[in-house]
Amino acid sequence: MKILGLSAFYHDSAAVLVDDGEIVAAAQEERFTRIKHDASFPARSVRFCLERAGISAAQLDHVIFYEKPLLKFDRLIETFLAEAPRGFAAFTQALPLWLQKKLHHPRLIREGLGGAFRKRPLFCEHHESHAASAFFPSPFEEAAILTLDGVGEWTTTSWGLGRGNRIELKAEHPFPHSLGLLYSAFTYHCGFRVNSGEYKLMGLAPYGRPIYRDLILSHLVEVRPDGSYRLNLEYFGFTRDLRMTNAAFDRLVGGPPRKPEEPLEQRHLDLAASIQAVTEETVLRLACTVRERSGMSRLCLAGGVALNCVANGRVFREAGFEDIWIQPAAGDAGGALGAALFAHHQLFGAERHVRTGDAQKGSFLGPSFAASQIESALRAEGAVLHRLEETSLYEQVASRIARGEVVAWFQGAMEFGPRALGNRSILGDPRDPAMQRRMNLKIKFRESFRPFAPAVLREEVGRWFSVPDSFDNAYMLVVAQVREEHRLPVPDGVAGLELQRHPASTLPAVTHVDGSARVQTVDQVRNPRFHALLAEFRRQTGCPVLINTSFNVRGEPIVCSVEDAYRCFLASDVDVLVVGDFVVNRNEQPQANLARARDHASHFAPD
């Protein structure tokens, strides 16, 4: 049975093709259109999925959308009526889009598939899609499920059970009480973009002090011992206005929202630390309650809040589960996957086969390119290139990283989800104290405080980070502490963003100021080429760790095609591009190509 899952029209559109329960292909539309968080119908993603499966749209058995638009419209209407006449401006802005497009999903889906698919599309509730994406690809025969995000149709948080080929949601929190929207309110207030800047707020938090924690808990949100919560809506604007917070919120936290171009103040750092602390506590209480009420020893997580890897680390260490599994595409894009698997197993009763590791295939589910395609694309771009044998490639690339060069590493199938996991990555030496600042400002064109993740050989992870030797975090979704023997003391009196200037460990480029790191474990099964490169770097340096950050610059999605990779490489300060077995050196590229790239790069100057 061939099922196409879709997410679209709201934030992060994607398409996923599932064939007899196997995930064949998955991709986000932004990677093809180069429009970050593209919310349009995922036409290019659909085309890729169908081509990967070798079928046409007419050969699909079913198409399923990741949520129920009529229920979502019901929330819009009820929220407006509850707030009227306040909120009229926001309502009148949203209503035409709903009347013209969002209420006509069956027609839009059929049109998007070129009219070739003639059956009626199916629809899955938003948090059922999240829950299905968390449980069905997991390595567990049975598990508890916890989903957390901004809002689906009405639900903002849910928990349930997964057994065999079925999931069952047991309880939920309704809109407008939302942990995701609470976090987004602080994201907005601190000057970052809602639905994309939350990870910046998480990265900023360790520079601050959680001095507003009690104020948040006493005025903005009531968090009960079981993790259930309720917002005080007098401080928020998202139910009635076109902004997340209001004047009462500003007075409470001591000032107006920061504009994106304005400098960060200590107040912003402390607000970030405070809402992060509240979020961690709430997620941990919820997870503990789910463990007690479910009786399950394993937990699956999904929803946008499940991308908060610091909170995930608390759950991993403190919630009492034997194991947890988090959907790599935990946000709305992953809902397309969950919807397709929900249809296959839950609606049509197909048997589920639990895989060793998981069924996500490393999340390497996007486009890949043969050597002939790579060479042809690079030559068409006017690139000067060299082809190396595989063993020589690893030796040379590891040596260049060890000498302080930065490498753009483009291999195999593109990742599905927000993380680059070693196939669309920029790599550097984590031992270099200057590397974090250089990569942030000169290569990624982004804020200097942003942390980088360490990719580590899975067999070495326990030697460098405070986790069990069996720790498997291939999807970079759990934060762990660097082991004490690798830590460095911070001088007395240093605080705030000044902490950036003082290495926190012998791996300073990947250790955050609080001694933590967003660890990615790399094994031979999921990613043999990246594992081989890490092993060679260990052989040359004794260090089994590399900086791994996504291959893109600020404001652009992760690169998808060979052409994207070459242009992004030239637009940044990366020293060498490696695509498959082909090596492209910056200092050998035509001046005309570099000049065009400099014009492109001027659009990405940091704030």
Side-chain angles (χ1 to χ4, degrees), residues 108 156 169 226 300 335 360 522 599:
L108 293 170
T156 65
L169 297 185
D226 65 356
C300 298
Q360 192 87 10
V522 181
D599 291 339

Side-chain angles (χ1 to χ4, degrees), residues 313-553:
R314 295 282 305 276
V315 172
F316 174 78
R317 294 187 300 273
E318 301 174 43
F321 288 98
E322 291 179 13
D323 202 358
I324 68 172
W325 192 85
I326 307 161
Q327 168 53 235
D332 283 357
L337 171 61
L341 292 172
F342 183 87
H344 181 72
H345 295 299
Q346 192 108 343
L347 297 183
F348 302 114
E351 187 179 357
R352 172 172 171 257
H353 302 284
V354 178
R355 309 288 179 87
T356 301
D358 58 51
Q360 192 87 10
K361 299 181 178 179
S363 220
F364 301 119
L365 300 166
S368 60
F369 303 90
S372 58
Q373 294 174 301
I374 294 170
E375 183 172 13
S376 176
L378 287 172
R379 294 199 184 281
E381 291 288 322
V384 176
L385 61 147
H386 309 274
R387 187 170 189 176
L388 299 179
E389 294 296 325
E390 191 169 334
T391 301
S392 178
L393 179 78
Y394 300 138
E395 290 176 354
Q396 288 197 28
V397 172
S399 176
R400 295 180 71 162
I401 293 173
R403 294 200 305 268
E405 295 189 38
V406 177
V407 173
W409 182 255
F410 183 109
Q411 304 289 327
M414 182 179 66
E415 298 90 339
F416 180 57
R419 312 290 189 217
L421 301 171
N423 279 10
R424 302 290 186 275
S425 294
I426 296 176
L427 309 176
D429 189 343
R431 304 167 302 164
D432 184 347
M435 189 57 72
Q436 180 192 10
R437 188 169 182 83
R438 179 196 167 194
M439 290 181 73
N440 269 326
L441 298 181
K442 298 294 185 180
I443 292 170
K444 300 283 284 186
F445 302 107
R446 68 185 196 182
E447 300 89 348
S448 63
F449 68 81
R450 300 270 294 279
F452 289 110
V456 57
L457 291 171
R458 184 180 174 189
E459 57 268 30
E460 295 268 10
V461 65
R463 290 184 53 229
W464 292 85
F465 303 96
S466 296
V467 295
D469 290 338
S470 59
F471 183 68
D472 181 9
N473 191 35
Y475 302 123
M476 205 188 290
L477 287 168
V478 173
V479 158
Q481 290 288 309
V482 176
R483 288 183 65 88
E484 193 63 37
E485 59 264 34
H486 301 296
R487 298 279 296 277
L488 298 174
V490 177
D492 292 338
V494 178
L497 293 178
E498 282 299 310
L499 289 165
Q500 295 177 84
R501 304 184 184 280
H502 299 276
S505 82
T506 57
L507 300 173
V510 294
T511 306
H512 217 353
V513 294
D514 59 354
S516 67
R518 180 160 47 95
V519 181
Q520 177 199 2
T521 56
V522 181
D523 60 71
Q524 283 183 299
V525 175
R526 291 185 178 102
N527 199 332
R529 287 178 73 90
F530 194 29
H531 185 275
L533 178 62
L534 278 160
E536 178 59 27
F537 188 74
R538 176 186 59 183
R539 188 189 70 80
Q540 293 186 20
T541 67
C543 176
V545 183
L546 288 173
I547 298 170
N548 176 16
T549 189
S550 57
F551 190 174
N552 67 319
V553 292

